[in-house]
Amino acid sequence: MMKIRKLVAIAAVVGGLSLPIISAHAAATSITWTSEVLPASNTIDADSESFPTATATSGAPITYRIIDNTGSQCALTGPHQFTYANSGSCLISASADAFNGFGPVSTVRLFTLTSTHLVEPALLSRTLNDLPEGVTFRSGTSTYLPNVNISDGIGSVDPVVLESGSSGCYLQGSQLYAANEGACYIGYTATDDPAYYLTTSNPILYTVISAGTNVDVPVPTAADATSSEPSPILPLAVTLPIENSYVTVTAPAGILPDNSTLDIVSGTAPEAAKAGLLQVEINAYDANGVKVTELKNVLTLNLGPLPLKGNDVVYSQDGLIWKTIAKISGTSLPDDMREGYYLDQDENVVILTRHLTFYGTKRLSKDLILLSTVKVRDIGTNVRLAIQGGSGTGALTFISLTPKICSITQKGVVTALAAGECSVDVVKNGDAIYSSGTSGPFALTVNPKAVRVFTAGKKLTVQSALSKIYANKSVDLYLLDQASRSLGFVQKITATSNGAVRFTFSPTNIPKSFTIELKFGDQLLASSVTDIKSP
């Protein structure tokens, strides 16, 4: 039986940078200079201020960087312009990011600078120690570049791609990626100490070979030789190393569009890591760089072994409001669930999900409660709510669940707007340690204002002190016949600057028992029942 090979690309997060996986079939690009092609040297005459430009076949913008300026002290002053202090060499790299479906690429060129009247500054030299030897790794994966020490002075030592060639190799932090087979030349550069020359190591060759070979493949048959079956679509995977553990995301074949990339961004704060908690953001992008959030199938996220006592497995759409992920029985996600988790045989927390967002573990927040001794208010009055419970430093957000009945400020002050049942809630955002919390609805009854009714013959006069909330606004007057239960619109009335209304009208018939209602749209503001006594 033939075993299908799997492509697994490793990614790390260094200084907050997310490292994407690489498709094994990512198209390579190349860079050429406008004159001679690397590695031929190019002599620049004295006092020149520019060097030949470079172009990428992908059309991507070119970024230039000085790799070695020993002696010349060359420095970039523009896209392809520089200055230099002395005769000598200037090694400049040109690089292009992934663009238009092409992979990233880098190359370098040595320029010989000549001058007869410039004086070389008195700078010191230093050496790089513990340089690695080049290794061989597979295309579509990555390899770690170790730290290198410098003999003297200050500053950092950083790896740089000197020549990516057909391999399409590129760096993200200390991780070297390559999309295709070929040679990749790496150097280390020490910078940031004005007392020393810029120091660059000799090129180090990293060899990129094929993504893999079949394991335990039987002798092919004639049917195999003539088969036109296309190559299998390989699953994508990415791993984030964390202290004493790892996080791995696996996207089965076909779950993402072709040539998509997948990455993990760490969001775990130091204090959360000490508490054994974890927070990551899972991202996927199609070949055009468009973010993918909904998946065609179930993706697996292995968070490694995490303490769950007193903690929740959670997800969030914004990194602030966290929702608990339910634990499932078995290792398959039910059709009616978007996410769930289980513990594997090694006690790793494994999340199954149909969408990409923030995931992790958070401590359970204490119950959040809204309190008030007042449970009934009149229109136009206020009440400040107290808060009990909650955990962490997350911000509070007050929400009116019945905005036509009542409003609430972000200081917890409720204002009664119309008659009915007022319902408000408060949400406390999660922080590095704690999950978010919500109080659940707090209910408050808002009574309508009273309406005074005066009768004079066949005329009715209605009067009500609503609230300054409705100052100079139009409200609707209705009359409800209690016997027939028919409700009739009478008149639109404009309230005074104090929010009071007074209106006299002559109905066709004055019912023996009727209700007067004042409304603002569909909001009831005032109501009163009147009985006319028989003479």
Side-chain angles (χ1 to χ4, degrees), residues 213-268:
T213 56
N214 294 327
V215 181
D216 299 330
V217 179
V219 177
T221 64
D224 292 329
T226 59
S227 173
S228 60
E229 180 180 356
S231 300
I233 300 174
L234 301 177
L236 303 181
V238 60
T239 295
L240 167 67
I242 59 175
E243 186 175 357
N244 301 321
S245 188
Y246 59 89
V247 173
T248 300
V249 180
T250 304
I255 193 174
L256 293 169
D258 292 344
N259 298 319
S260 293
T261 58
L262 184 69
D263 69 8
I264 307 173
V265 180
S266 176
T268 308

Side-chain angles (χ1 to χ4, degrees), residues 186-430:
I186 300 298
Y188 282 83
T189 301
T191 60
D192 301 330
D193 192 329
Y196 291 87
Y197 287 119
L198 185 150
T199 306
T200 301
S201 70
N202 291 326
I204 305 169
L205 172 63
Y206 282 76
T207 303
V208 186
I209 61 175
S210 172
T213 56
N214 294 327
V215 181
D216 299 330
V217 179
V219 177
T221 64
D224 292 329
T226 59
S227 173
S228 60
E229 180 180 356
S231 300
I233 300 174
L234 301 177
L236 303 181
V238 60
T239 295
L240 167 67
I242 59 175
E243 186 175 357
N244 301 321
S245 188
Y246 59 89
V247 173
T248 300
V249 180
T250 304
I255 193 174
L256 293 169
D258 292 344
N259 298 319
S260 293
T261 58
L262 184 69
D263 69 8
I264 307 173
V265 180
S266 176
T268 308
E271 62 269 28
K274 290 180 181 179
L277 302 172
L278 179 71
Q279 178 179 322
V280 293
E281 182 182 7
I282 312 302
N283 297 309
Y285 302 91
D286 65 17
N288 297 317
V290 178
K291 196 169 186 177
V292 179
T293 56
E294 296 299 320
L295 304 174
K296 300 176 182 177
N297 208 325
V298 177
L299 176 143
T300 301
L301 170 58
N302 189 326
L303 300 183
L306 295 171
L308 294 184
K309 185 176 180 180
N311 300 331
D312 259 350
V313 180
V314 294
Y315 77 94
S316 173
Q317 299 292 346
D318 56 10
L320 298 174
I321 306 300
W322 295 88
K323 297 182 179 180
T324 300
I325 298 177
K327 187 176 182 180
I328 59 176
S329 58
T331 58
S332 298
L333 187 66
D335 292 339
D336 60 346
M337 295 180 66
R338 281 173 58 80
E339 62 279 315
Y341 84 94
Y342 66 89
L343 299 179
D344 67 12
Q345 60 184 5
D346 297 319
E347 296 299 306
N348 295 315
V349 177
V350 181
I351 296 175
L352 304 177
T353 182
R354 304 181 197 274
H355 63 115
L356 299 180
T357 186
F358 296 88
Y359 294 95
T361 55
K362 298 286 183 181
R363 280 187 183 168
L364 296 173
S365 177
K366 293 180 181 179
D367 290 341
L368 193 62
I369 303 172
L370 284 175
L371 300 172
S372 175
T373 58
V374 178
K375 295 299 177 80
V376 179
R377 299 301 286 174
D378 291 332
I379 292 173
T381 59
N382 301 323
V383 60
R384 182 185 292 273
L385 303 181
I387 300 174
Q388 178 179 298
S391 303
T393 60
L396 294 170
T397 302
F398 292 89
I399 304 167
S400 174
L401 305 177
T402 52
K404 290 186 176 182
I405 306 298
C406 59
S407 64
I408 186 168
T409 71
Q410 292 311 304
K411 292 186 178 181
V413 178
V414 178
T415 299
L417 302 177
E421 289 298 315
C422 162
S423 182
V424 295
D425 194 2
V426 63
V427 176
K428 187 175 181 63
N429 290 345

Side-chain angles (χ1 to χ4, degrees), residues 379 419 448-453 460 462-464 466 475-482 485-493 501 503 505 514-530:
I379 292 173
K449 287 284 191 173
V451 178
R452 297 182 66 186
V453 179
L460 293 179
V462 297
Q463 179 177 309
S464 181
L466 299 177
V475 297
D476 298 324
L477 171 64
Y478 291 88
L479 186 149
L480 171 66
D481 186 339
Q482 293 287 355
R485 305 304 299 171
S486 60
L487 179 67
F489 172 74
V490 176
Q491 181 70 36
K492 189 175 288 290
I493 309 168
V501 294
F503 183 70
F505 65 102
F514 59 90
T515 299
I516 294 295
E517 292 183 350
L518 292 170
K519 291 185 175 183
F520 183 73
D522 59 354
Q523 298 167 259
L524 178 61
L525 306 182
S527 178
S528 181
V529 177
T530 301

Side-chain angles (χ1 to χ4, degrees), residues 438-450:
T438 180
S439 65
F442 174 85
L444 187 71
T445 300
V446 181
N447 290 330
K449 287 284 191 173

Side-chain angles (χ1 to χ4, degrees), residues 27-51:
T29 185
S30 64
I31 286 181
T32 57
W33 298 84
T34 53
S35 57
E36 300 175 36
V37 180
L38 187 102
S41 297
N42 189 77
T43 299
I44 304 294
D45 292 333
D47 304 321
S48 176
E49 296 180 352
S50 64
F51 55 87

